[in-house]
Amino acid sequence: MKYTLLELTQNILSRLDSDQVTSISDTTEADQVARIVRNTYFNMVGRANLPEHKKLFQLTEYSASQPVLMSRPSTVSRIEWIKYNTRTSTGTFDSYTYVTILPLQQFLDIVDTYDTTETAVDTMSLNGISFNYVNNVAPTYCTVIDDIYLIFDSYDIGVDTYLRTVKSKCFGQTIPVFSLLDSFTPDLDDQQFPLLLNEATSVAFVDLKQVPNEKAEQES
């Protein structure tokens, strides 16, 4: 069974033997409990690597001055795989192909061998560092810089002037949203709500009552 934030707060307030409320904004204590639930939720999410937070998403594009640069959305914490539409200018259907994510050193070992005197090889800069890339073929490899940016080994100038968001297809761990609203329901499976309730209750007893709740800790 799933619970709204108000229902979780009311349940914890009852365990604390505190005044009941009809909204988390009714009392200071209710607001404190709601925030404890939120903090406990993010602690759970950080530990559990929950599958319901793994979703499809697209990368963020940049411009023709940095054609092989993309970045992960701020709502994504980890990328598990990337596909890119490698359809050519003469192709008749979309063809999404995996792009291999390489460690930085291994990626540089590849692109640093590209001969910049050739017309199909160009260079772009990120944070003052130059990266070689090929400009006439869809990407095969990429690497992650500063845990945000993705540098690819190539793009096809005959199709686009830079790598495009709409042609990316990725999967990974997203950062869930938690709204301090009465009607908000945390993004958890039904069986995980008792854990959230008991862990938040345990924290509430220590933070608000300065005493532990052994029953809640045992159930947690």
Side-chain angles (χ1 to χ4, degrees), residues 112-131:
D112 283 348
T113 64
Y114 295 168
D115 185 356
T116 56
T117 64
E118 295 184 3
T119 57
V121 176
D122 281 320
T123 301
M124 59 154 275
S125 178
L126 178 67
N127 298 332
I129 305 298
S130 295
F131 294 88

Side-chain angles (χ1 to χ4, degrees), residues 41-113:
Y41 171 76
F42 281 117
N43 286 338
M44 284 179 56
V45 169
R47 296 196 310 264
N49 193 23
L50 301 174
E52 55 263 40
H53 299 150
K54 292 185 177 182
K55 299 177 181 178
L56 288 169
F57 58 90
Q58 293 179 309
L59 299 175
T60 301
E61 64 186 38
Y62 281 83
S63 66
S65 63
Q66 294 177 303
V68 292
L69 176 66
M70 303 189 86
S71 65
R72 64 170 175 81
S74 59
T75 56
V76 173
S77 60
R78 185 175 64 256
I79 300 173
E80 294 196 4
W81 52 256
I82 297 171
K83 281 188 168 186
Y84 194 80
N85 188 353
T86 59
R87 179 177 177 175
T88 64
S89 57
T90 58
T92 57
F93 59 91
D94 292 339
S95 178
Y96 283 87
T97 303
Y98 283 107
V99 177
T100 303
I101 305 173
L102 297 177
L104 177 59
Q105 182 178 359
Q106 189 175 349
F107 178 81
L108 289 176
D109 286 344
I110 293 173
V111 299
D112 283 348
T113 64

Side-chain angles (χ1 to χ4, degrees), residues 109-160:
D109 286 344
I110 293 173
V111 299
D112 283 348
T113 64
Y114 295 168
D115 185 356
T116 56
T117 64
E118 295 184 3
T119 57
V121 176
D122 281 320
T123 301
M124 59 154 275
S125 178
L126 178 67
N127 298 332
I129 305 298
S130 295
F131 294 88
N132 298 334
Y133 61 88
V134 175
N135 62 25
N136 63 358
V137 66
T140 302
Y141 303 108
C142 73
T143 193
V144 181
I145 304 290
D146 296 336
D147 202 31
I148 299 175
Y149 302 107
L150 293 103
I151 304 287
F152 292 78
D153 65 324
S154 61
Y155 81 106
D156 191 345
I157 198 172
V159 177
D160 292 303

Side-chain angles (χ1 to χ4, degrees), residues 197-208:
L197 178 60
N198 286 314
E199 289 204 4
T201 298
S202 180
V203 174
F205 264 89
V206 173
D207 286 1
L208 304 180

